Amino acid sequence: MPDTPISNFIHDIIDADLAEGYVDHVHTRFPPEPNGYLHIGSAKAIWINYSTAKKYGGEFNLRYDDTNPTREDEEFVHAIERDLRWLGAIPDHIFYGSDYFDRCYEYALKLIRQGDAFVCDLSAEELREYRGTLTEPGRNSPYRNRSVEENLDLFERMKNGEFPDGTRTLRAKIDMSSPNITLRDPAIYRILHENHQRQGDKWCIYPLYDYAHPIQDAIEGITHSLCSLEFLNNRPMYDWVCEKIGFSPRPHQYEFARLNVTNTVMSKRYLRKLVETGLVDGWDDPRLPTLCGLRRRGYTPASIFDFVQRAGVSKVYSLVDIRLLEACVREELNKTAPRRMAVTHPLKLTLTNIPEDRVDWFDVTNNPEDEAEGKRQVPLTRELWIEREDFSEVPPPKFQRLKPGGEVRLMGAYIVRCNRVLHNDAGEVIGIEGTADLVSGNGNPSDGRKVRGTIHWVSAKHAVDAEIRLYDNLFTLENMNEMPEDKTYDDYLNVDSVKIEQGCKLEPSLKDAKAGERFQFVRLGYYIVDIMNPGTFNRIVSLKDSYKPQ
């Protein structure tokens, strides 16, 4: 994570608050609901809240918004903290919204006593009817004028479990004619006889987010509640709760545009469907935008935060090209990833002038971007594997790789000539025979001839067999937010989003590569040893791309 994030409109607000003395410190939070795994969109909210707190020497909380027991699970609780720690966004404090249920209940009683909340018997369908529309005001509930005593009695009986689910709600008494529908006497408590993953059976009434969230922020001393623009219309409710309860000092909510990425869906509901129906290989499938999926794919925390920072912080909707994320990790790995040779579509090259028992060892640079990485020794033997596409029996114009009668440089080793092409009964090329210029070493030919092409290779005798997986976008539509009304996400699933290549040949130094290690396979791209299948390498990104980051 950058030491000093680039200033943005949020930092301008904080600078002004500090200068005016409205606050004397900065305290932010990240409040995910534990109903799924975090994704690349979550990374933006994490980065904004964490980096902002650290820039100002403040504090950063992780708070689980676990107020809806029907959708939450302990699995997601652990996954969220694990992802934050992997990103390096270590929280100063960890809290659970459900631990404030007693306080929320006491504050609800206060609102009732003040005449700011009432128990309503309208059904969910009736509530929608009474709420009105964007152009028509709502109507007051027939239960709005219940006495304080009756509301207190009914609310306590709700808490005691006397009423079935959905039969009553506690609603804030605000303004049914407000142009902001959020303020039309919103429900702040509902009846729900469900076991809570943390609180067990203690409660059968649960506070709703718009009521619970400002209370949680105030209790924790949050100064700047930073969230995405989808909560903009909820800010007046946030302020109303803080004002009516009488919090001092009061937290304030500020909104930023959420992260939208091309060829990507970030709906937790749909991601859950993909996982539960087996269309992907779990929440950490490398094609998913989940942080655990990106981790398994090979993306690094630094590349993800670099991407988020480059995408920018504003209040304006934008669609960020996923190739920017690829460019970020490519730039990082170009500097840090050790180089190795791997042949993904092997074709055998037999060097007839090298004895079968001879092994020549060549010193090869591990990383030309970092001399401190030193060199490794790579064996060369009579039989080698080369890429099938590095040979052409009938080469196109300007083909500079191996061809009949032609020469190429084996990367870091000898110059070789193709003398004979071997075919099977169907006429397909099954091998090549050639000779090595054994005096060329890894330098220029002594006779001054020019050899333009250089190809990578692997000793057949020492090769490590491996499976390689090539991943592509999971969706074919660039902007999934503009999907036609008669279409669903399923209509744009990319059936070719993963290709599995077996029988790949790797240089022997990769035999003991550990899960999670990243490498550049020269001339091919960047790869990671799959954390679930150590014999499998996942391609993170190709070696080059036409995308030019702005």
Side-chain angles (χ1 to χ4, degrees):
M1 177 178 293
D3 293 332
T4 305
I6 299 172
S7 291
N8 51 60
F9 79 92
I10 292 173
H11 296 173
D12 294 341
I13 291 170
I14 293 174
D15 289 339
D17 287 347
L18 291 169
E20 296 294 329
Y22 295 141
V23 297
D24 57 9
H25 72 290
V26 174
H27 200 157
T28 64
R29 84 292 169 270
F30 173 62
E33 183 178 3
N35 64 345
Y37 282 68
L38 301 182
H39 50 61
I40 187 68
S42 312
K44 179 174 183 177
I46 294 168
W47 178 79
I48 288 175
N49 281 280
Y50 177 79
S51 65
T52 297
K54 296 311 167 187
K55 175 181 179 179
Y56 292 95
E59 297 174 84
F60 168 70
N61 292 359
L62 165 61
R63 182 205 309 136
Y64 294 103
D65 174 32
D66 57 343
T67 57
N68 186 352
T70 62
R71 300 190 298 176
E72 295 155 8
D73 193 277
E74 193 73 16
E75 172 192 356
F76 303 132
V77 170
H78 296 308
I80 288 169
E81 183 177 353
R82 185 165 59 246
D83 283 344
L84 256 71
R85 293 189 179 279
W86 174 71
L87 285 173
I90 311 300
D92 296 298
H93 314 281
I94 299 177
F95 297 110
Y96 293 80
S98 64
D99 288 348
Y100 304 128
F101 280 173
D102 287 296
R103 299 281 295 274
C104 289
Y105 179 76
E106 292 300 322
Y107 289 134
L109 294 177
K110 179 178 181 178
L111 292 178
I112 292 173
R113 294 188 185 105
Q114 293 173 176
D116 291 317
F118 67 98
V119 174
C120 183
D121 297 0
L122 293 177
S123 67
E125 183 178 345
E126 290 170 329
L127 280 171
R128 285 191 291 271
E129 180 186 343
Y130 272 73
R131 186 177 294 124
T133 66
L134 291 172
T135 57
E136 297 178 353
R139 294 178 289 146
N140 286 342
S141 166
Y143 307 100
R144 197 175 195 267
N145 294 322
R146 276 175 164 157
S147 67
V148 169
E149 291 74 18
E150 185 180 5
N151 283 318
L152 289 172
D153 173 67
L154 288 171
F155 190 50
E156 181 177 6
R157 292 169 64 189
M158 287 170 60
K159 178 177 75 73
N160 293 339
E162 294 186 23
F163 307 121
D165 291 358
T167 55
R168 285 185 166 88
T169 56
L170 181 69
R171 298 174 63 185
K173 190 183 293 186
I174 307 180
D175 182 5
M176 290 301 293
S177 63
S178 172
N180 184 342
I181 294 181
T182 303
L183 296 180
R184 294 181 186 177
D185 291 4
I188 59 177
Y189 263 94
R190 80 285 205 198
I191 301 171
L192 197 59
H193 292 81
E194 289 280 350
N195 181 274
H196 190 278
Q197 57 91 15
R198 182 173 176 84
Q199 303 299 334
D201 293 325
K202 180 179 179 180
W203 296 91
C204 62
I205 56 171
Y206 290 94
L208 277 81
Y209 177 87
D210 283 349
Y211 169 71
H213 189 69
I215 292 174
Q216 296 161 359
D217 281 351
I219 292 173
E220 293 176 13
I222 301 303
T223 57
H224 298 81
S225 185
L226 310 176
C227 58
S228 56
L229 274 174
E230 63 197 278
F231 296 101
L232 176 62
N233 288 337
N234 304 63
R235 192 204 296 179
M237 178 63 182
Y238 184 101
D239 293 338
W240 183 91
V241 172
C242 291
E243 177 186 352
K244 292 299 182 179
I245 292 177
F247 289 124
S248 181
R250 284 169 48 184
H252 292 276
Q253 176 178 306
Y254 302 97
E255 306 83 15
F256 53 85
R258 65 189 303 173
L259 182 62
N260 297 285
V261 182
T262 59
N263 303 97
T264 304
V265 168
M266 289 187 242
S267 162
K268 282 185 181 179
R269 181 179 301 174
Y270 186 70
L271 295 179
R272 184 194 291 259
K273 174 187 172 183
L274 290 176
V275 172
E276 292 178 347
T277 57
L279 289 172
V280 294
D281 182 24
W283 285 98
D284 65 347
D285 188 295
R287 293 167 292 178
L288 292 181
T290 55
L291 294 181
C292 57
L294 292 169
R295 178 165 66 245
R296 186 174 171 188
R297 172 77 172 264
Y299 283 91
T300 64
S303 66
I304 291 172
F305 278 144
D306 185 24
F307 167 68
V308 169
Q309 178 160 296
R310 292 195 201 188
V313 180
S314 72
K315 290 190 174 186
V316 180
Y317 170 87
S318 63
L319 183 67
V320 185
D321 196 322
I322 196 170
R323 291 182 300 167
L324 174 59
L325 175 60
E326 295 171 352
C328 290
V329 74
R330 187 180 290 113
E331 286 181 18
E332 178 185 350
L333 295 180
N334 181 53
K335 299 174 184 177
T336 62
R339 273 51 168 176
R340 296 292 185 266
M341 289 193 286
V343 175
T344 56
H345 302 100
L347 176 65
K348 184 165 286 188
L349 167 62
T350 302
L351 301 176
T352 57
N353 64 329
I354 293 182
E356 290 186 3
D357 60 350
R358 174 171 168 171
V359 180
D360 292 352
W361 294 88
F362 289 87
D363 289 332
V364 181
T365 299
N366 283 322
N367 187 348
E369 299 291 326
D370 186 357
E371 292 184 2
E373 289 293 323
K375 296 184 177 182
R376 70 191 185 282
Q377 285 201 317
V378 178
L380 183 145
T381 54
R382 178 184 176 89
E383 293 184 335
L384 306 176
W385 294 114
I386 66 171
E387 288 286 354
R388 187 168 291 274
E389 67 178 23
D390 282 340
F391 171 78
S392 178
E393 191 170 17
V394 183
K398 299 183 180 180
F399 185 78
Q400 295 182 358
R401 286 165 283 178
L402 199 57
K403 56 189 176 183
E407 290 184 317
V408 294
R409 164 77 65 184
L410 296 180
M411 185 175 290
Y414 301 126
I415 292 171
V416 297
R417 173 184 292 274
C418 173
N419 298 325
R420 182 185 176 200
V421 183
L422 308 177
H423 303 85
N424 61 15
D425 293 341
E428 299 167 328
V429 176
I430 58 173
I432 310 167
E433 289 184 353
T435 52
D437 183 343
L438 299 178
V439 298
S440 64
N442 59 5
N444 294 319
S446 57
D447 59 8
R449 70 186 188 277
K450 294 183 179 180
V451 177
R452 296 182 181 277
T454 299
I455 65 174
H456 61 280
W457 52 276
V458 173
S459 164
K461 184 177 181 180
H462 299 84
V464 176
D465 289 326
E467 175 183 278
I468 289 179
R469 296 188 178 186
L470 307 178
Y471 292 99
D472 198 356
N473 296 326
L474 189 55
F475 297 94
T476 58
L477 183 65
E478 181 177 277
N479 190 348
M480 295 297 289
N481 294 318
E482 295 183 354
M483 184 172 58
E485 292 184 3
D486 61 339
K487 299 290 185 179
T488 69
Y489 291 144
D490 292 349
D491 293 315
Y492 297 100
L493 276 173
N494 181 6
V495 295
D496 296 319
S497 57
V498 59
K499 295 181 180 179
I500 299 176
E501 296 182 340
Q502 297 178 326
C504 302
K505 308 296 182 180
L506 315 182
E507 68 170 74
S509 65
L510 290 167
K511 179 180 180 181
D512 298 320
K514 297 178 175 60
E517 284 191 290
R518 300 174 181 86
F519 302 92
Q520 183 197 107
F521 289 173
V522 292
R523 302 178 66 226
L524 297 177
Y526 297 96
Y527 295 76
I528 185 172
V529 183
D530 189 81
I531 59 176
M532 303 299 293
N533 307 290
T536 297
F537 287 76
N538 300 329
R539 186 173 69 183
I540 307 168
V541 286
S542 58
L543 198 59
K544 293 182 179 180
D545 190 84
S546 60
Y547 181 69
K548 303 296 183 183
Q550 299 300 314

